[in-house]
Amino acid sequence: MIRDALGLVLGLIIGIQLTEYWNYNNFMQTAIWERRNPKADNPAKRLFNQTRILCMVLIDPLDHVKKEAKIKSTWGRRCNKLIFWKDSKEDNNTFAAVRHGFKNIFRNYFNGHDWFLRADTDTFVIMENLRRFLYRYDPESSIYFGHRLKSDFAQGYMSGEAGYVLSRGALRRLNLFAFKDFNICGNDLNSNLESEDREMGLCLKNVGVIAGESRDGMGQERFLSLMPQWIGPGLDGWKQYSESLYFKATTRVCCSSSLITFRPAGSASAFDLWEFLLHRVSVFGYPMRPLKLPPRLNFREMHAQLRYWSQVVSDNHG
């Protein structure tokens, strides 16, 4: 009788443990499914299909295997299409690699995408913020966005280290006109990334692509070529950084609350940390209210916006 009682107790304990495990497993499966399959009314989910972004990540030939894997498992999986690009023909010429990458995209992936992001393996992109930012602009207009720097030509250019994004109209002009005329878009640059982004900015300017306003309404940067904590008056390198900007740097804080890109410090594992902080952590007592989508510009409004941006000049004379 005692043996039967012990058997019954053990059976109950095992049954309870199995039930708890089953419930916990179901909870985790449900949580994971909800993360990967947001509800239909989720604005980020809707934007995924409405504002389609192809991401071209320029590979660093010296250190790319681990970083490729980290991008695929973090922000890269939120691209509509993710391409890692390395030009084997001209390994020592970054501008040539980017040019050939954009040619390949235009030939094979142009249809089905609205915007085309060029990033590095060291760039972290908050894709949800990028889509919300781009939503109001017509991708058929000839425009591009990024971290805008001064140059010896009036429009300036977007930093490659921060990543920049081209509209369908911009990529079309780049391929149909700029890349077919070396007088408009040269190809004799070295492997320096700074030369690549400046030259690409000049190519885009020469075919009438407008450098759009990428900052928020308070003049704070959405695209960063650094980590936020490295930016601010009094910090090392602030003078050089602030003087390179197309517009005078704001003294409020380093960057916009609708930040789009930055460059995590440290090893590739830093991408996992930022993925966790941005997409897993919630702060008790401070629920974030979802931001409303901005109204889309109609044809007349878009034309007026482009005309205004084409007339803007740098106010940073330091």
Side-chain angles (χ1 to χ4, degrees), residues 86-102:
K86 175 180 176 292
D87 194 336
S88 59
K89 295 179 181 178
E90 299 181 66
D91 292 337
N92 64 340
N93 191 320
T94 304
F95 174 71
V98 173
R99 186 184 67 237
H100 290 150
F102 281 143

Side-chain angles (χ1 to χ4, degrees), residues 144 150-157 198-199 201-202 205 246:
Y144 84 126
K150 293 189 299 184
S151 187
D152 53 351
F153 51 93
Q155 180 168 282
Y157 64 97
R198 178 198 171 277
E199 185 70 5
L202 183 59
K205 189 270 295 184
Y246 191 82

